[in-house]
Amino acid sequence: MSNIYQRIIEDGEHHQIRLVINEFNGVEYLHLRKYYLSFDEEWLPSGVGISFALDLQNSKELFIGLAEILSLAESKEIISTYFKELLQEIYEK
């Protein structure tokens, strides 16, 4: 089993969250998993995470979900940047 793709999403001192795609028995899987630093200073996957077969439908739904999350995050940033003073006035009342 070899990794086709790997990206560290969160990098802490003793843990990481990784997005990994690998192939097993001819099927590609996507993993979003927490890794921990072993006593031998090697990053190892923990049991905390999720894995699923990577196919067109799953990829499409994942992309839609991530696009919606990015849109919400961008909206929150725009609102807090341009309407910060107004929001503070509203919540102070």
Side-chain angles (χ1 to χ4, degrees), residues 1 27 34 38 45 57:
M1 182 168 39
V27 178
K34 187 173 184 178
S38 73
Q57 185 62 36

Side-chain angles (χ1 to χ4, degrees), residues 9-42:
I9 305 298
E10 181 180 298
D11 195 5
E13 187 175 341
H14 299 288
H15 78 277
Q16 294 179 337
I17 296 176
R18 293 187 188 184
L19 175 65
V20 176
I21 297 174
N22 64 18
E23 185 178 327
F24 182 72
N25 289 337
V27 178
E28 288 183 350
Y29 290 91
L30 183 140
H31 309 268
L32 185 59
R33 187 156 307 281
K34 187 173 184 178
Y35 280 65
Y36 65 94
L37 192 57
S38 73
F39 292 113
D40 298 328
E41 296 190 9
E42 181 181 356

Side-chain angles (χ1 to χ4, degrees), residues 48-84:
V48 178
I50 185 170
S51 301
F52 56 89
L54 187 60
D55 60 22
L56 185 58
Q57 185 62 36
N58 288 344
S59 298
K60 178 182 167 187
E61 293 301 324
L62 183 60
F63 179 80
I64 291 169
L66 291 173
E68 289 172 348
I69 290 168
L70 287 171
S71 177
L72 289 171
E74 184 179 40
S75 296
K76 287 180 181 179
E77 184 176 341
I78 290 170
I79 289 170
S80 66
T81 300
Y82 294 102
F83 300 104
K84 182 178 182 178

